[in-house]
Amino acid sequence: MATDQDRGERRILITRLRFIGDIVLTTPLIRSVREAFPRGYIAYMGEKSAVALLEHNPFLDEIIPYDYGRPSLLEQARVAFALRRRRFDTVIDLFGNPRSALICRLSGASLRVGPERKGRGKLYTVQVADDGLPKTAVEFHNRSLAAAGIPPRATAPEIFLSDDERRDARAYLRWSLGEGAENIIGIHPGATWPAKKWLPERFAGLADLIRAKLHATVVLVGGPGDQETLEAVSARTASAPHRLNVLPLRQLAAVIACCSAFVANDAGPMHIAAALGVPTIGLFGPGEENIWFPYDASRGHAALRRDVPCHPCHLDFCNRTGDGYMECMKLLAVEEVFAALRRSLGR
């Protein structure tokens, strides 16, 4: 008798527990799994707030949120029991921290793919070693897919918005901006790591240049932790760019989708914009754009970074002093970013 797996009805869980941008970068795997198993049951587990970006993804059957706001042991137990009830036969863990490795083991899946890590790697049935060769984040994740016996066909991150979400975003922008809602350049000057932030006065200069030379409406967006940065940018401009309210993540994505182009530090909104197909300029300092910006230049995407002796440092805070402090960001000139933006719009 043919089994469910023989009929292509495998039950597969993909998980990347945390961080908006990282979850966006795993979305090509969802499409690849669905192409391999059109009748399979495919679920995704991740941080409750971030996995909202996966709503309306036509290749997913279920999104399983992990709530970091609840006591850790209780939430781990709740999620582990939820996974076990769903009888997954395959789990692909793209995070590989102790928590996600343990939850994958408790899921009961017979095939558990995860990164090769000392100690916790034993909780997987298949460990994926890092070969040390340069590759994008998408290529890195696709190695886990291949280890599960699934062809990694898709490479482009993607986010899906409903017609209602797009319509509501356009209405919100018309209400907020009036006639300026027709030609919008979005700017996200925030970042989780202070070392990743381009200087507020540079963002302010860029906003003024966009207004003067492109006659576009500049919109500043950010999350709850970005308000001080947004104020610092606004205070240094002559063109008075519009600061939008802090929006729920999917509403923010819908607003970004209305932009003609988007300029951002290496942070979650940068990935959201690119995955929505909005021409995106990513500003990089301590991070590696060859890994974290796998976006097609022919679609108007560009990553900017100036070389410095300490790159890549992977530091939250710059540890250099004097003229060397934040040198990687200081070397990025307003005119350079504006020129890249113009080229992106031209494409």
Side-chain angles (χ1 to χ4, degrees):
M1 179 180 293
T3 65
D4 285 350
Q5 290 192 16
D6 293 333
R7 294 194 299 269
E9 297 176 1
R10 284 173 63 176
R11 299 181 67 82
I12 300 171
L13 174 71
I14 303 168
T15 175
R16 211 300 177 183
L17 267 185
R18 302 204 71 178
F19 308 122
I20 291 169
D22 296 279
I23 287 174
V24 172
L25 288 168
T26 67
T27 56
L29 277 72
I30 300 171
R31 181 184 284 266
S32 291
V33 173
R34 178 57 69 196
E35 289 181 2
F37 300 101
R39 293 179 297 167
Y41 188 87
I42 304 169
Y44 194 109
M45 179 182 70
E47 183 178 7
K48 180 180 178 180
S49 57
V51 292
L53 286 172
L54 303 181
E55 293 175 14
H56 301 301
N57 187 310
F59 309 121
L60 279 177
D61 293 293
E62 184 181 12
I63 298 169
I64 301 171
Y66 188 99
D67 189 352
Y68 279 87
R70 299 188 66 196
S72 179
L73 289 177
L74 291 177
E75 184 64 0
Q76 287 183 57
R78 182 192 71 81
V79 172
F81 281 123
L83 299 186
R84 206 168 185 88
R85 285 197 302 271
R86 286 158 175 79
R87 306 188 318 279
F88 290 109
D89 52 71
T90 303
V91 175
I92 302 171
D93 182 6
L94 302 171
F95 196 33
N97 77 341
R99 179 176 299 172
S100 66
L102 178 60
I103 292 173
C104 288
R105 177 65 183 86
L106 294 174
S107 72
S110 57
L111 176 59
R112 303 183 302 278
V113 178
E116 184 181 67
R117 301 276 170 79
K118 186 176 181 180
R120 60 182 178 272
K122 296 178 181 178
L123 297 173
Y124 305 113
T125 59
V126 176
Q127 297 182 49
V128 183
D130 186 354
D131 57 16
L133 298 175
K135 56 183 69 68
T136 69
V138 174
E139 291 167 341
F140 186 84
H141 292 323
N142 275 341
R143 293 168 63 253
S144 295
L145 207 60
I150 302 171
R153 297 189 178 97
T155 57
E158 54 192 346
I159 294 171
F160 297 89
L161 296 172
S162 69
D163 291 340
D164 286 346
E165 286 174 319
R166 291 180 182 273
R167 183 176 58 250
D168 290 347
R170 288 192 293 270
Y172 170 75
L173 288 169
R174 284 194 298 269
W175 174 78
S176 301
L177 308 177
E179 295 181 0
E182 300 305 318
N183 183 20
I184 301 171
I185 305 294
I187 290 179
H188 174 64
T192 304
W193 296 4
K196 289 185 175 183
K197 292 183 180 180
W198 201 34
L199 284 66
E201 56 268 28
R202 302 287 175 88
F203 273 116
L206 178 65
D208 289 341
L209 209 51
I210 291 170
R211 186 62 183 163
K213 295 198 172 185
L214 300 181
H215 308 292
T217 299
V218 177
V219 168
L220 303 179
V221 302
D226 296 324
Q227 296 312 296
E228 185 176 337
T229 299
L230 294 175
E231 291 172 7
V233 173
S234 294
R236 289 165 170 79
T237 62
S239 57
H242 294 269
R243 282 176 54 194
L244 297 184
N245 297 328
V246 176
L247 301 170
L249 195 55
R250 288 196 66 82
Q251 190 176 352
L252 173 63
V255 164
I256 290 174
C258 295
C259 295
S260 300
F262 198 74
V263 182
N265 295 317
D266 174 18
M270 178 192 77
H271 295 286
I272 292 172
L276 287 167
V278 177
T280 301
I281 307 299
L283 309 181
F284 281 78
E288 296 157 289
E289 78 286 355
N290 57 321
I291 296 175
W292 302 110
F293 199 86
Y295 304 113
D296 190 348
S298 68
R299 296 178 178 269
H301 306 308
L304 302 181
R305 179 181 67 80
R306 300 299 297 274
D307 214 13
V308 292
C310 52
H311 182 269
C313 69
H314 303 297
L315 295 175
D316 296 14
F317 298 87
C318 180
N319 64 356
R320 297 178 67 185
T321 58
D323 293 339
Y325 179 72
M326 294 288 287
E327 182 185 17
C328 56
M329 285 307 197
K330 290 176 181 176
L331 288 175
L332 272 178
V334 170
E335 293 74 17
E336 180 182 0
V337 178
F338 181 73
L341 174 62
R342 249 190 156 150
R343 289 194 296 270
S344 291
L345 289 170
R347 289 173 178 167

